[in-house]
Amino acid sequence: MSQWTRNALKILSSDQLRTSDTHLYRLDIPALTGIDIYLKDESTHPTGSLKHRLARSLFLHAICSGQIREGTHVVEASSGSTAVSEAYFAKLLGLPFTAVMPASTTRSKIVQVERLGGHCHFVGHASQVYDAAEQLARETGGHYMDQFTYAERATDWRGNNNIAESIFRQLAEEPHPEPEAIVMSAGTGGTSATLGRYIRYAGLNTRLVVVDPENSVFFDSFQQRDNTLTSQACGRIEGIGRPRVEASFLPEVIDGMIKVPDAASIATIHWLERMLGRKAGGSTGTNLWGVLQLAQDMQKAGKTGSLVTLMCDGGERYLDTYYNADWVAEHIGDITPWSEQLALLG
Ligand SMILES: *Cc1c(COP(=O)(O)O)cnc(C)c1O
């Protein structure tokens, strides 16, 4: 093993030691007595989203697989949180990093990648990012990280403080430490893969429910057991929902899926802000809407218990979109019917 590799692993390990685990909030929802709802706050990672865990795992996996060495140019197809988190780790390791993104990518994401020393390479359309990233890596002798393929296998799913282990450890002294269900949305599908595998590994009775936004093929692909489905339309909930079934999406570990209207997701983050005093990204609304449906089902069945989901990123990134009434009216539509339903809960 080269001195660089040894040192790189030490840098990643000491960085992890300096950072702390994320909080698990318990929401207090007046209308849902006997049902405890928990929210794992992934927005507090140094790069602001759950992709911090993924980026660390992808770098570790690629270094230990001999694919990233001293000076390796790291390339990723991402216009979102993954590009920001990978730029952070590339900088830490002194590696050149390029994010391949559509020209339409929001300015703030570009600024964040560049502030971390990363480079942004633009293509005309979102569907071109995969091929362009692969080609750029090949031409420069670099490494294409390929989050959509490697997310499920780069994560240490049995433990090592992965998100599932962390959640169950934090629940240990709660009234219902074994939740009825964990609800998660899918972008790469990596987080739901880790949760689903861990639930089996730990022998738990918890169900894994995956929520999917409009214009995504995951829900239909799950129902029809068809992983060749594609869609032309663009999703509006950043970070989740895909126009193709990504390799990291593992339907075998999922117990059920719920389709969530985009307007319901956005209404839910506004409702959450009143409950918790915090803004969250759109995917957190999708997650929490799914949880609230399950909670109401439990209530109707006379059950008590707990439900868990994730706050995937914070809302400060979306002040111009999900938290801007004009933008919401134009791109999402009228959210009042959903807000009225939520208001009944508290
Ligand atoms: C990536 C992402 C998700 C989905 O996580 P995966 O593990 O990729 O399925 C959800 N929300 C946000 C904001 C994300 O960036």
Side-chain angles (χ1 to χ4, degrees):
M1 170 158 56
S2 78
Q3 195 52 43
W4 184 88
T5 301
R6 207 180 294 278
N7 194 41
L9 293 170
K10 188 156 174 273
I11 289 171
L12 290 176
S13 153
S14 57
D15 175 72
Q16 187 160 14
L17 262 182
R18 289 195 307 274
T19 55
S20 51
D21 199 2
T22 58
H23 308 299
L24 186 68
Y25 300 128
R26 185 167 65 202
L27 300 183
D28 189 11
I29 304 174
L32 295 174
T33 42
I35 300 167
D36 298 328
I37 294 180
Y38 297 89
L39 192 61
K40 177 82 167 152
D41 183 5
E42 294 292 290
S43 74
T44 62
H45 287 292
T47 57
S49 82
L50 81 171
K51 290 300 189 311
H52 199 77
R53 293 181 193 267
L54 174 63
R56 178 191 282 126
S57 296
L58 286 168
F59 271 95
L60 267 174
H61 182 261
I63 290 168
C64 293
S65 304
Q67 293 160 333
I68 291 181
R69 301 189 179 89
E70 183 169 8
T72 300
H73 177 209
V74 177
V75 183
E76 183 62 289
S78 163
S79 58
S81 311
T82 305
V84 178
S85 298
E86 288 183 3
Y88 170 92
F89 285 103
K91 180 169 195 258
L92 201 61
L93 296 166
L95 296 168
F97 174 72
T98 303
V100 177
M101 43 178 65
S104 60
T105 300
T106 51
R107 188 75 213 140
S108 70
K109 292 270 171 56
I110 299 167
V111 169
Q112 286 185 69
V113 170
E114 289 177 346
R115 189 176 51 79
L116 288 162
H119 180 76
C120 299
H121 174 96
F122 299 103
V123 295
H125 193 265
S127 60
Q128 298 166 330
V129 292
Y130 311 101
D131 288 345
E134 198 181 346
Q135 192 186 342
L136 184 64
R138 200 173 347 102
E139 284 170 4
T140 60
H143 175 65
Y144 172 31
M145 205 65 122
D146 194 359
Q147 56 166 335
F148 294 106
T149 301
Y150 291 98
E152 61 91 0
R153 74 190 78 160
T155 299
D156 210 341
W157 58 271
R158 284 180 294 181
N160 206 358
N161 195 32
N162 71 39
I163 190 156
E165 187 185 46
S166 167
I167 288 171
F168 286 105
R169 192 166 15 83
Q170 289 176 319
L171 283 171
E173 296 188 9
E174 295 306 302
H176 303 283
E178 192 168 332
E180 182 83 6
I182 295 189
V183 176
M184 178 57 189
S185 44
T188 63
T191 305
S192 53
T194 299
L195 290 167
R197 283 170 167 154
Y198 189 88
I199 286 168
R200 281 170 181 71
Y201 183 63
L204 302 164
N205 281 316
T206 303
R207 295 178 71 228
L208 173 63
V209 176
V210 171
V211 283
D212 204 31
E214 291 172 33
N215 300 330
S216 170
V217 295
F218 288 136
F219 179 85
D220 288 339
S221 139
F222 178 79
Q223 300 294 335
Q224 299 163 23
R225 293 284 152 166
D226 180 355
N227 65 6
T228 65
L229 299 182
T230 57
S231 140
Q232 293 305 317
C234 267
R236 291 171 297 199
I237 307 296
E238 279 193 40
I240 61 168
R242 301 292 306 164
R244 65 175 202 189
V245 184
E246 302 296 347
S248 283
F249 177 76
L250 307 185
E252 296 83 359
V253 300
I254 299 169
D255 298 300
M257 285 194 67
I258 303 174
K259 193 90 186 166
V260 178
D262 293 349
S265 298
I266 303 309
T268 307
I269 56 174
H270 289 280
W271 175 81
L272 178 68
E273 188 182 6
R274 287 192 296 280
M275 298 289 295
L276 195 65
R278 278 169 206 277
K279 290 185 170 71
S283 65
T284 303
T286 316
N287 290 349
L288 193 54
W289 179 265
V291 160
L292 295 173
Q293 303 317 298
L294 296 181
Q296 285 165 297
D297 290 349
M298 284 171 70
Q299 205 167 39
K300 275 182 210 133
K303 282 192 194 167
T304 58
S306 62
L307 294 163
V308 181
T309 196
L310 271 64
M311 184 184 320
C312 301
D313 62 356
E316 286 64 30
R317 295 175 166 186
Y318 308 102
L319 298 179
D320 296 339
T321 56
Y322 306 141
Y323 289 95
N324 174 326
D326 293 335
W327 188 95
V328 172
E330 187 185 337
H331 294 90
I332 305 287
D334 184 14
I335 64 169
T336 31
W338 309 99
S339 299
E340 283 166 6
Q341 282 192 48
L342 290 161
L344 300 174
L345 296 172

